[in-house]
Amino acid sequence: MPADIALGMRPTNEAETRRPPNRISGILKSIGPGFILAGALVGSGELIATTATGAESGFSLLWLIILGCVIKVFVQIEIGRQTISHSESSLHALNNVPGPRINLPFKPLGKQVGVNWIVTCWLLMFTATIFLFGGIIGGIGQSLAMTLPLTNEGQAFNTYQDEMVSLSIMKTRLSLTDDEQTRASLLRESSSLETKLAQVTAPPASMDDRYWALIITLLTVVLLTFGKYRFIEKFALTLVGAFTLITIYNLFQLQSYPTWAIGSHELIDGLRFSLPKSVGENNPMITALATFGIIGVGASDLVAYPYWCLEKGYAKWTGKSDGSAEWETRAKGWLRVLKWDAWSACVLYTFTTVAFYLLGAAVLGRIGLIPAGSEMIRTLAVMYAPVFGGGAQLLFLFGAIAVLYSTFFIGNAGHCRLATDALCVLNLTKNRESTRARWMKMFAITLPILCVGTYYTVGSPVVLVLIGGVAQALLLPMVAFAALYFRHRRCPPALRPSRLWDVLLFASFIAFSVVGIYLVYVNLS
């Protein structure tokens, strides 16, 4: 698809308009942009940040996880309404929101350009999300290093760490079981393994994860350079759908194991709007609120969503607004499709997010394992051990590689579009199809390399992901404010929503603001 259509810059004409589907079957065939976002969401937010929150906080923040997934959809749809009604990209729309503006110290292409406060903050968040994707490519590297070590050092390191994790699980089961025969068996096994480990020196961490991260980054550069919308859409749905089914199955099967089963009282406690207490140097609320910024549709995803809607064709099929009854009918119909798209994807990633959170609380939280550092993926794989036994790690690694790579690939695909559009907004390049296509290819090369560079520098995927999460949480209230502006100042009368919708949209803005203010307070105090 031409880059100008992808960025919504070419005016639509009557020949491109299309009647929206009325039947549910037709609507379901027309959805897709939301599932591209879901493909990007399940990796960083659900697999890494959500499980870390469950491991640190137990079940007490289940309410926040659900709220974080659902409440963002109102802002997502409102920005989508703006896209359909005006056929305008996100950054161009955000740059028209009233407020302070910064004039560039030079005149690109001979024209003075002003950038408003939201786009300025988005540029800072865009930089932070490069760290987030660095954490994701690090997670992929760790997964592949565990599955296919490239060096003898990597093989030795894997064997030692696997035995250390097995010892932790044995000790947890020993502390939770009352059966004397089982206790005696576990005690013998754990004592034997502990003696064996005490007689060897822990091997140093290998560089296999970094080698694999670089290899996958180079593969991503190739796919981003030649990938098209349909490929991205199918790629996301296939990878995420398969691992989602495995995870939900794992959660339900966990209920048949008394040691790991989740009690109804724990679920009720998790829905009571309570806050966890800090233990030692760990503050679970910081992790939780950073997770709030990532799970569901994060700030970067809210800004990216209209680009996928434009590439899908919703705005093109609606046509240019002319106030006619025909345009109003098309706009309402395609807005209905967009709502189905957003809410269907929300159901998918909410179920997945809750499943990962409960697994983190039920298994990692009870063992006392917090996913961090170079052993993040190995720790996360423990969530599947009670159900899948010895094959848990291999099964998890397959799923982890799939969804993490889906996030890395789709996230960078969105970033290529956003970065290119940013250059157009800043008037740093001519707003032409050929120019934008060239810039998108250049970003397809540079952005993934920058991401892997952050992992080489920092080395901890969880830290990198949480940096991106905090940045997104801080941007969320600004994006919600823009959605309110679009709703009350730019929404065509024919597309105005109900009063209940307005209340929920304003509630989203309040929730985002509370999270953002709290994170600023904690980090500055």
Side-chain angles (χ1 to χ4, degrees), residues 16-260:
E16 293 175 319
T17 60
R18 184 181 300 180
R19 291 182 60 184
N22 293 319
R23 296 182 178 181
I24 301 300
S25 58
I27 291 175
L28 294 178
K29 291 179 181 178
S30 300
I31 64 177
F35 289 93
I36 291 181
L37 289 190
L41 297 173
V42 173
S44 61
E46 280 70 0
L47 181 61
I48 299 177
T50 303
T51 49
T53 303
E56 288 187 14
S57 307
F59 298 94
S60 61
L61 289 176
L62 177 60
W63 63 274
L64 182 67
I65 298 300
I66 297 174
L67 180 67
C69 288
V70 175
I71 201 168
K72 298 175 186 176
V73 181
F74 301 102
V75 175
Q76 176 187 352
I77 292 176
E78 200 57 47
I79 295 177
R81 193 195 313 271
Q82 159 74 19
T83 302
I84 285 179
S85 58
H86 293 87
S87 190
E88 189 176 40
S89 70
S90 302
L91 294 182
H92 278 79
L94 291 174
N95 202 39
N96 290 324
V97 175
R101 303 182 72 84
I102 301 174
N103 289 326
L104 297 182
F106 55 95
K107 294 183 178 181
L109 301 180
K111 180 181 178 181
Q112 183 66 60
V113 176
V115 183
N116 81 344
W117 57 289
I118 296 181
V119 175
T120 301
C121 292
W122 172 84
L123 288 169
L124 296 175
M125 185 276 297
F126 180 87
T127 302
T129 53
I130 291 177
F131 285 86
L132 186 151
F133 291 135
I136 293 170
I137 193 63
I140 298 171
Q142 289 183 16
S143 300
L144 286 167
M146 292 170 60
T147 310
L148 299 169
L150 298 174
T151 63
N152 293 331
E153 291 80 4
Q155 181 64 56
F157 181 77
N158 285 347
T159 301
Y160 181 83
Q161 292 298 328
D162 287 341
E163 290 176 342
M164 289 291 293
V165 169
S166 297
L167 182 61
S168 297
I169 294 175
M170 288 181 192
K171 288 183 176 180
T172 301
R173 292 180 60 195
L174 187 62
S175 65
L176 295 176
T177 185
D178 295 325
D179 184 76
E180 291 300 326
Q181 186 175 356
T182 302
R183 285 181 60 84
S185 176
L186 288 172
L187 187 60
R188 286 193 301 270
E189 292 180 28
S190 61
S191 297
S192 175
L193 184 55
E194 198 166 17
T195 300
K196 175 184 175 182
L197 292 173
Q199 294 173 349
V200 299
T201 302
S206 71
M207 295 288 289
D208 288 18
D209 58 325
R210 302 193 177 203
Y211 299 150
W212 273 117
L214 182 59
I215 292 170
I216 297 302
T217 297
L218 297 177
L219 172 64
T220 303
V221 167
V222 175
L223 292 177
L224 285 175
T225 303
F226 300 102
K228 301 298 181 182
Y229 176 86
R230 291 184 182 276
F231 169 75
I232 296 172
E233 185 179 81
K234 293 178 180 179
F235 183 85
L237 191 58
T238 301
L239 293 184
V240 174
F243 194 46
T244 296
L245 292 176
I246 292 172
T247 300
I248 293 176
Y249 172 80
N250 181 46
L251 180 63
F252 278 101
Q253 286 296 109
L254 201 67
Q255 296 302 104
S256 60
Y257 297 83
T259 302
W260 312 106

Side-chain angles (χ1 to χ4, degrees), residues 438-494:
R438 184 170 64 251
W439 275 107
M440 284 181 66
K441 288 185 177 181
M442 291 178 64
F443 284 125
I445 297 171
T446 57
L447 290 178
I449 292 175
L450 287 174
C451 293
V452 77
T454 62
Y455 178 62
Y456 271 58
T457 303
V458 178
S460 173
V462 173
V463 171
L464 290 167
V465 167
L466 292 180
I467 288 173
V470 169
Q472 293 202 57
L474 294 175
L475 188 69
L476 278 173
M478 304 177 199
V479 177
F481 176 83
L484 287 172
Y485 173 76
F486 298 151
R487 160 63 189 92
H488 294 286
R489 292 291 183 268
R490 302 196 67 189
C491 181

